[in-house]
Amino acid sequence: MPSKTPSLRVREAVVFALPLASLIVIWQLVASLDLIRILPFPADVGRTLVNLCRPTRGGTPILLAHLGASLFRVGIGFSLAMAVGVPVGLLMGINKHVNDLLHPVLSLLMPVPTLAWVPMLLILWGLGDRTIVAAIFLGGFFSIAYNTAGGVRGIDRDLIRAAYTMGASKWTLFSRVLLPGSMVSVLTGLRLAVGYSWRALVGAEMLAAAGWGLGYLVFAARAFSAANVMFAGLIVIMVAGYLMERYLVGPLEKRTVQRWGVVRA
């Protein structure tokens, strides 16, 4: 794959930054006109972010402590969702009997909001990381499994029959036909799961976190009507989720479907 020229990189940076700059201008305008009374000014939120990043007496900035706790939880929960969701989706796509067995169950469970599971998880495990990680797992698992299964079922059956005709083993069929053919859908499921995992994390931390986490930070700020802290926490959540998708799913996409020529770079 040819490397990007400096001019192309600058163009991509401008295209990326322009909508964000427009959003900040609109935010500043709405705050200046006092259309939403609790809406803080962007500069106030920026100062709050700087203050939260300053070291405390213990040496660790408050924001980094909250961020570290959230990244630990979302990393474990998302990894579990991926480790379980992809194989389950592949089995559902490959084997009709497995699909007939699991599809009705997953179809019933998937519409349940992740936050609705948290009270039951609290009864089971109480406050702490286990409850939050389980909520994140539930938030990401369904999109990964369903998209993976749909990707496998969407492969042209003539390709599978041709591979069998040419004497392909089961491993060759999986690695050369099923995996490349379903990878676009798998990546779509992973991208959706990143967003769902962060939503589940924030909701679960609001109810089950024991003092640390970005969701807890946002929720605790309501007691003091500290809208600037709330917005600062939301911005960090947005950036962390974007970076996770870009540097986790993005490289996987480049090494697979882009390299194989399935999608354009």
Side-chain angles (χ1 to χ4, degrees):
M1 184 183 301
S3 59
K4 296 179 181 178
T5 62
S7 60
L8 181 58
R9 292 180 183 275
V10 171
R11 181 182 176 183
E12 289 180 348
V14 171
V15 170
F16 178 80
L18 188 59
L20 298 179
S22 301
L23 182 62
I24 293 174
V25 170
I26 295 172
W27 178 4
Q28 176 70 29
L29 181 62
V30 172
S32 299
L33 296 176
D34 201 22
L35 298 178
I36 303 176
R37 287 194 300 172
I38 67 167
L39 186 66
F41 287 94
D44 294 335
V45 175
R47 282 191 290 270
T48 300
L49 281 170
V50 172
N51 291 333
L52 290 174
C53 288
R54 289 174 177 167
T56 60
R57 292 181 180 179
T60 303
I62 293 176
L63 185 59
L64 292 184
H66 285 292
L67 177 60
S70 292
L71 287 176
F72 171 77
R73 294 160 181 159
V74 80
I76 295 177
F78 179 81
S79 298
L80 290 174
M82 183 169 59
V84 178
V86 172
V88 168
L90 288 172
L91 286 174
M92 290 176 64
I94 294 171
N95 192 303
K96 183 179 182 301
H97 299 294
V98 174
N99 184 70
D100 292 341
L101 178 66
L102 295 181
H103 188 271
V105 178
L106 296 183
S107 297
L108 287 172
L109 295 177
M110 189 170 65
V112 180
T114 306
L115 204 58
W117 293 103
V118 176
M120 287 184 286
L121 295 173
L122 282 170
I123 295 174
L124 181 63
W125 286 316
L127 298 174
D129 290 343
R130 283 195 296 178
T131 294
I132 300 170
V133 168
I136 295 168
F137 169 81
L138 292 171
F141 166 76
F142 294 104
S143 63
I144 296 174
Y146 263 95
N147 278 276
T148 302
V152 175
R153 288 197 299 268
I155 297 174
D156 189 345
R157 295 300 164 185
D158 290 338
L159 294 175
I160 298 177
R161 285 191 287 269
Y164 274 129
T165 301
M166 296 175 67
S169 64
K170 291 184 178 180
W171 171 249
T172 301
L173 178 67
F174 171 76
S175 61
R176 297 296 180 89
V177 179
L178 297 180
L179 185 60
S182 63
M183 199 63 191
V184 173
S185 296
V186 173
L187 291 170
T188 300
L190 292 177
R191 281 198 165 89
L192 290 173
V194 169
Y196 294 151
S197 295
W198 277 96
R199 294 180 191 179
L201 167 82
V202 173
E205 284 183 341
M206 288 181 176
L207 299 177
W212 295 103
L214 293 172
Y216 178 85
L217 174 68
V218 173
F219 191 63
R222 93 206 185 284
F224 307 98
S225 298
N228 54 336
V229 176
M230 297 179 194
F231 273 82
L234 291 175
I235 290 173
V236 175
I237 291 168
M238 295 175 200
V239 173
Y242 169 77
L243 293 177
M244 182 175 172
E245 185 274 330
R246 180 177 177 85
Y247 292 105
L248 180 64
V249 183
L252 183 60
E253 182 181 51
K254 290 179 181 178
R255 290 185 176 93
T256 55
V257 292
Q258 286 187 14
R259 184 179 179 183
W260 298 335
V262 178
V263 297
R264 290 182 297 177

